[in-house]
């Protein structure tokens, strides 16, 4: 993981601001997140979290995660913003995923971008690595940090509080 500074940080914060605008489209009732995948300054895929296929019938935001059997592997209610961005990039620019950076941001209750904690979503960490995304970018309390996709996956599985 490396923390960005100077011009690199400025550019990354610009992409984070774009991801925050994308997050505003989320219809999840639990949290609103946005993701943007960038290759050489160009956005190649984006997404926000919401029910699968945006179907009202599939909305599970009101269900407790404890209400599912332990065999249910993914207890999160909505398709994640990163998953959506990856699928979007695979559809539109499958040849541009190698070397790309995935930006992720979560909005707070007032709709403002919030700082991220340590990575923990192994659904997205595996999918990003498998699809060929090269780096993950999070906005931490200490600043904008970039993780290699392999590192991000390992750290996500090692998450602890
Ligand atoms: Zn939801
Ligand atoms: Zn995720």
């Amino acid at each position: 993981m490396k923390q960005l500074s100077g011009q690199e940080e400025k550019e990354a914060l610009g992409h984070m601001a774009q991801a925050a605008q994308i997050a505003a489209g989320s219809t999840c009732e639990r949290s609103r997140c946005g993701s943007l995948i960038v290759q050489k300054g160009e956005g190649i895929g984006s997404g926000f979290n919401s029910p699968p296929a945006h179907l009202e019938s599939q909305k599970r935001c009101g269900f407790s995660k404890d209400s599912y059997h332990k065999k249910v592997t993914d207890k999160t209610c909505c398709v994640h913003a990163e998953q959506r961005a990856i699928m979007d990039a695979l559809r539109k620019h499958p040849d541009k995923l190698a070397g790309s950076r995935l930006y992720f941001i979560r909005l707070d209750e007032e709709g403002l971008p919030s700082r991220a904690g340590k990575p923990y979503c192994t659904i997205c960490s595996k999918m990003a690595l498998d699809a060929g995304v090269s780096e993950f970018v999070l906005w931490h309390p200490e600043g904008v940090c970039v993780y290699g996709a392999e590192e991000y996956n390992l750290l996500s599985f090692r998450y602890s509080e």
Side-chain angles (χ1 to χ4, degrees):
M1 188 259 275
K2 70 166 181 181
Q3 192 176 332
L4 299 181
S5 60
Q7 187 59 25
E8 272 198 316
E9 183 184 26
K10 213 177 137 195
E11 282 173 26
L13 284 170
H15 293 311
M16 280 295 179
Q18 291 177 287
Q21 284 182 348
I22 294 160
S26 169
T27 58
C28 179
E29 288 164 20
R30 277 193 185 158
S31 70
R32 293 191 293 159
C33 304
S35 180
L36 177 69
I37 302 178
V38 176
Q39 170 67 277
K40 295 190 173 78
E42 176 201 4
I44 61 165
S46 66
F48 52 75
N49 61 322
S50 58
H54 307 282
L55 290 169
E56 196 61 32
S57 64
Q58 300 299 321
K59 200 160 197 177
R60 314 197 64 87
C61 308
F63 287 74
S64 160
K65 289 184 188 176
D66 298 329
S67 67
Y68 303 112
H69 189 275
K70 65 174 191 292
K71 278 198 161 184
V72 178
T73 49
D74 173 15
K75 298 175 176 64
T76 53
C77 49
C78 289
V79 181
H80 301 184
E82 305 96 303
Q83 290 179 293
R84 282 264 173 75
I86 293 164
M87 290 190 283
D88 192 38
L90 283 170
R91 276 192 290 264
K92 294 178 184 162
H93 300 282
D95 52 324
K96 291 184 179 170
L97 274 156
S100 66
R101 264 186 186 174
L102 184 153
Y103 293 81
F104 171 81
I105 195 92
R106 185 184 301 272
L107 303 182
D108 68 14
E109 277 160 24
E110 272 116 54
L112 298 171
S114 63
R115 308 256 181 175
K118 291 190 279 186
Y120 64 87
C121 183
T122 54
I123 299 166
C124 293
S125 68
K126 284 193 288 189
M127 190 174 167
L129 182 56
D130 210 46
V133 170
S134 292
E135 293 172 320
F136 255 85
V137 190
L138 296 179
W139 190 41
H140 287 307
E142 64 269 31
V144 181
C145 295
V146 180
Y147 299 80
E150 282 188 53
E151 174 191 27
Y152 195 85
N153 189 48
L154 291 171
L155 289 172
S156 298
F157 275 99
R158 283 182 201 146
Y159 178 87
S160 68
E161 303 210 309

